[in-house]
Structure formats: structure tokens, C-alpha cells
Amino acid sequence: MPRSRLSRPRSAAPVHRSAGHRPALAASPAPRFAASDPSAVGPAGAAARAGIAGPATASSGVAPRIAAATATPSRRVARLGLGLAAALIACRPQSTAPPSDTGPVTWIDVDPLQPAEIPAASRSSRAAVARLDRLLDLLDAARFTGDEGAREAMWTALGGAAMGRGPDATREAETRLLTEALALDLRTDLDDDARGFIAGAITLLSADLGLIAGSEDLSVRVAAYRNIAEDGHPRAADNARWRLYDHVRGCLAGAAAATPERRLEVAVHSLYVREDSLAGWLDDRAVHAQTPWPPPAELWGLLAAERDALAALPRWRAALTRRERDDAVLQDTFLTALPAARDSAWDIQRVPAGTGRKDSLAPVVGIAGEDVTIDLGRPGARRGTRGSPELVRAVEAALARDGRGGVLLVAPPLLPSPALNSILRTLLDARVARVESAVREPRLTEGTGDIIAALPIEVVRPSDQGPAAQAIARARVRIHLSGRGPRIAVDGGWLDLLPGPGDLEAELARLDRAYPRERMVTLTLGDDVLYQQLQDLLRALVGGPQRRFDVVAWTPAAAPPPAELADKAIAAERRKLDVRTNLFSRTASAGLVLPAPPPGAPSSPLLPEGDQKRAEALALGFVRCLPELETPLRPGEAVDVELRFEEGRLAAVAPRPPKTKIAAPRLAAFKTCIEDEARGFRLREQQAGVTFAVRVHPS
């Protein structure tokens, strides 16, 4: 059974729940039964104030909080209620005397929201069974509608008002009902039909009163409800349906209140009403091996199925009517909040597995020819002709609902350049901060379809001043993509045009060695770029498990390269790239140069063993700074860097010029690179001042 990965959204206040409803648990080491927040509005709040905890509403901000499933003593305690019930049922008398009051039980088929006479507990066994059934219905009516009359009728029949309020009152009522059910089960004058109902009631109440320590316990509880609903006595099956309805509703309400990236993980717990395990969705496995997320409409259908089953019973129709408004609000909120279903049949490029990154489940913008769809896959999707001003407002609304600033762009690979320019302008005008280009990748098991992955592009405007924008502004590698192909610039110097994919791959491999510390690249686009060209470039830059760059940032305000570049300038940039590439070879190495002890002094290590290992690991990173010298070194020549530490912290960095003459600006750039590599490093054991050198060899 998978461990649950749910957590209450930070923005939602902890709202406690009634006993035995859904996995909304108080944040305690061993969560027991949550209660409705007395301040909640609607039926839940009214029921809580009246002394019966009710269901969470969509406005209450409840999210299921399921603790990690662990084999602890609390797990055994969690099943104590079910185990006790099973033991008592098993130990009831095996032989029964002929009942003195023969005949079937006369069930009370009156709407629980309407008054009806409730037999006393001291009457005949048949009447006592009918009483238990009526009290169980009144308990659920009070929970799910907040009806004052149902609450008063139940407590009057139980012998008085509850000692507590909210969850305490709910727990007390269920405990009293379970006590009556267990006592009835020991009677010898009941027929099999009555005993079937009593067994179902004991199972339901025991599951209600059990503890939930993790997702395994939750699955056991919901499975108990499911078994009663499908195969149990009809008079207990309806009460089980209410619990299944509340479980699904709680998961969907919690999903709507969760952060966007966690909503499906929360909502999928509603599948316990039909699944014994959620391992396919929640196990920590590759995205290509996961079970596809169910569409939001399918998850809502789970709640609708329980409502329909209850609506088939006339006595519950009034209670369902009272819940219609809240359920309609939740349906609208849930379907709007959850990510749109991803369709593996979309007309998008198919790439090898592992090329793209995991889909962030952002709102979907689809374009096909002249037609653009915003929020593709959702009930309220907006459609229009590309370039229409209303599309900008629709994208802004989608971004506001999601809150993360990104969209998933779904477009055919052969999208022409005018259409690409138009949709990118729409996204730019809507202040989109991240565009994920959708691609399809095959699942691990052949023949099981595809997943949707993404090739991301960050969008940076001149007005952006955040830390990310400032970091991207310092990127040294820039690419301009036109219809003729990509052209690369480094530190402002442009290189040759790269018309073919092989040319681009070879140039990027050289850049890896010449600028090994660069993880960001800025991008500008020409007006004649095809969508296929853009996706191929993104695959080369950020695609695959060993991606060359971490971030590609589109800077639409940046100027394109000059139409004509001087051959002399291109040749100079090429020579610089060659020199940098040769300085960072696969055989480059670095090691510590520790000063020898003074003559006559005892020989002892300069650094403690642990600090020396850390310093050696630090030195290996210095080889990535060699290209900053931009000067060919003689064979076997090395560069020494003196490091001085005070109280374990790096106090000074002093590169020693090699025999080969190196320009002062290049030596300063080398020093800056060393300082960046050593930022945050400290000696943990050596507190006294110490100085030593690191010798860096290009080969």
C-alpha cells in the first residue's frame, strides 16, 4: 500500500471533522477523529454548533491530512474497533431459541428529517433493531444536513443531551449506538435478516470509531464501507453510501484547496471507494511507469454515483436536496481548480522517453491553425481566433486561477511561423512567465500509450527585477534562432550560423568544455521561426537526462544579431572558444600543495583528516575555472592558487601567475571563478589560521 503524500495546504486553516467520515485529521502524533470547526458556515457549522459534527463544505478549506503508513503500535490500536466488533460477532450464541415475537422487523421508512416514533430500547428485539436503524439514520441526517430536529430526536431517544459538542458529541453518539448494536447481537431471538443488519451496523460504527494512522488504515476503513454498501444489508448499505459520499467529497474539497501541484495527489485518494491500493498513482516511480491521472470529471463521477445510489431511496431525497447547493458549488470549484486532463492523442511531437521534463500541470493553451483554446480540457475553456484581444484576458484569468504564471503550449509540430508568432505574442501580452512546450513520450510498457512531457522556456522581460531575472541577465551564452538556423553568441561575440542539427550538437559540446559553469542560456527568436525548429532547439538545450543547460530564458526585448558579421570578428571568437575548450580537458586535475614543516619540527599533518578530504574535493572544482584564463599554457604547466583560512572560513584567494604570461583581466576572472567555487566552504575541524595552495593542471 503506498504511503500517502498528502498534506493540508498552508493556506487552509485546520478544520476538524466528524468521527468516521473522511481522512481530514487533526495534526497530532496519532490523529483520532477530527471535528467540524464550530466557526464553519453551512450545514457543517450548524451541525457542529448543535452538537453533531457535520461534513466539510467546499468553503471550509479542508484538505485531507493522511499520516505516513508505518507499522507501529498505533496501527494495531487503529484496528481495535473493527477487531473488537469482529470478535464479539464471532462469539455470539451459535444456537438461538425460537423468537417469542416472530416475523420480520418493521422498519421505520420515514424520512429522517421528519418526526417518527422511535421504539424504546427495552422493547422487543425486533423493535430494538428498528430503533437502531432509525437512530443510525438520524445520526447521518444530523451530520449531513445539520438538521436540528434530527439531532434532538436522536439524543432524546438515546436518553439525553451529549456531554460534549462537535466531534465529542459525534463520538459519544456512535459509541452509544455501537453499545446497543453489540447488545442486540447477543440476543437469541433474532432472525438472520435482523442479524445481517446488526452486523453491518457494527462494522460501520466500528470503522467510524477506528483510528487512521496512514493510508493503509484509510483504505481498510473505506473498504469496510464499500463492502457494506455493495454486499451488506440494505438498511445498512444506505448509511455506508453516506460515508463513501463523504469520503469522496472530502478528498475533492481538499484537492480544490491544495496548492496546484498537489491537487491531483489529494484528489486521487477518492479512488479508495473503488480501489484497494493507490500504488500506481502515488508510488515514487518514474513518470513513464505511473498510472495515468484520472480526469477530474471521472473523480467527480465517484461522488455523483454515491448520490445517485442514495437518491434511489425515497427517505433520503430530502437530505440530498439540502446538499444540492453545496455540492454544486464544490463541483464548480473542483472542476475549475484541478488541472485539465492530458490527452495522449494531442497532435504534438513524439520524442524518445526521457527527453522532456515532468509536466507541471499548468493551464493548457492549444492552437491549431487559426483556432486557439485557452484552458483546453476544462469545462469553461475559452476559444477564439489567434490574435484576438479576448484571448489575452482569457490567459490572464487562467493564470490567476492557477497562481504559478505558467502555461502548457499544445501545438502541432508543423505550426507555421505566423501562427507561432501570434500565440507567443498573446502569451507575452498576458504576462506569462513560463511556457512549457508539450511533447509526447512513450510509457515504459509498450503499447500502453504515451505521457505528456514538457520542454520549458522561461520568459524574461526588461522590467523583471527579481532574483531569477537578475541571474538570467548574467548568462554568458545567448542563442538567436531564425528560419535559417541558430546562431550562438558568448560574452557578446557571435559565432557562425549553425544550419544543421549536427552542427548544433557539435557546437554545444564545445561550449560544455569552454564554459563548464554556465547553466543558463538566453534565447531570441526571429519572425520566420517554425515551431518544429523551436522544439528541436529546446531538445538540444534542455532535453534528455543529461541536459546541457538547466534554464532557457526567452528575452523578447533583446536585439537580434547584425545581419552581416565580419569574418574577422567571427574568427577571433572561434579562436577564443578553441583556447577555452583546450584548457578544460577530460584529464584536467587539481590537488593540494601543503607547506612542509619547519626544519627540526615534528612531522604532523597540516589539516585534520576530515578537513583535508573536504579541501581535496573543493580543489577538484577549481579545474572548471581554467577556461577563464583564455591563454594557452605550456605542456605540463600548472596554476597554483593560494588559500588562506581564518577560524575555518576562507579569508583570501591569491592565484599565482604561471610562467606563461596571462593578462591581468583574465587572471582576475580566474580569481573570481575560484571565489565562486569556494563560496560557503569552511574547515570544520581546523580553527587556527592556515594557508595552503591548490595546484590546477589543465592535463
Side-chain angles (χ1 to χ4, degrees), residues 165-324:
R165 298 176 65 83
D168 294 333
T170 302
R171 189 172 183 81
E172 182 179 348
E174 290 181 326
T175 302
R176 293 190 191 183
L177 292 179
L178 181 58
T179 301
E180 288 194 17
L182 293 173
L184 278 174
D185 193 57
L186 296 177
R187 296 195 182 185
T188 60
D189 56 347
L190 292 173
D191 60 17
D192 291 341
D193 182 69
R195 291 193 180 281
F197 166 72
I198 293 171
I202 290 174
T203 300
L204 290 180
L205 293 168
S206 299
D208 286 353
L209 293 169
L211 299 178
I212 297 296
S215 59
E216 184 177 351
D217 298 321
L218 177 64
S219 69
V220 170
R221 169 187 280 184
V222 180
Y225 297 153
R226 192 171 72 232
N227 290 339
I228 298 300
E230 295 173 355
D231 303 318
H233 193 281
R235 303 297 300 196
D238 57 338
N239 303 105
R241 292 285 180 193
W242 273 115
R243 284 152 178 78
L244 294 175
Y245 159 88
D246 191 49
H247 169 75
V248 175
R249 195 180 194 283
C251 291
L252 303 189
T259 54
E261 63 274 10
R262 302 297 299 277
R263 286 171 183 165
L264 278 173
E265 291 184 6
V266 177
V268 79
H269 282 74
S270 61
L271 291 178
Y272 273 134
V273 300
R274 76 179 191 200
E275 305 283 346
D276 292 325
S277 170
L278 302 182
W281 294 275
L282 298 181
D283 267 4
D284 188 11
R285 60 178 70 176
V287 65
H288 303 81
Q290 286 183 337
T291 303
W293 292 112
E298 179 182 338
L299 296 175
W300 181 259
L302 300 175
L303 183 141
E306 301 304 333
R307 279 189 58 99
D308 292 344
L310 288 167
L313 303 174
R315 69 179 184 279
W316 287 117
R317 289 173 185 169
L320 289 172
T321 300
R322 292 195 183 185
R323 296 215 52 81
E324 281 181 355

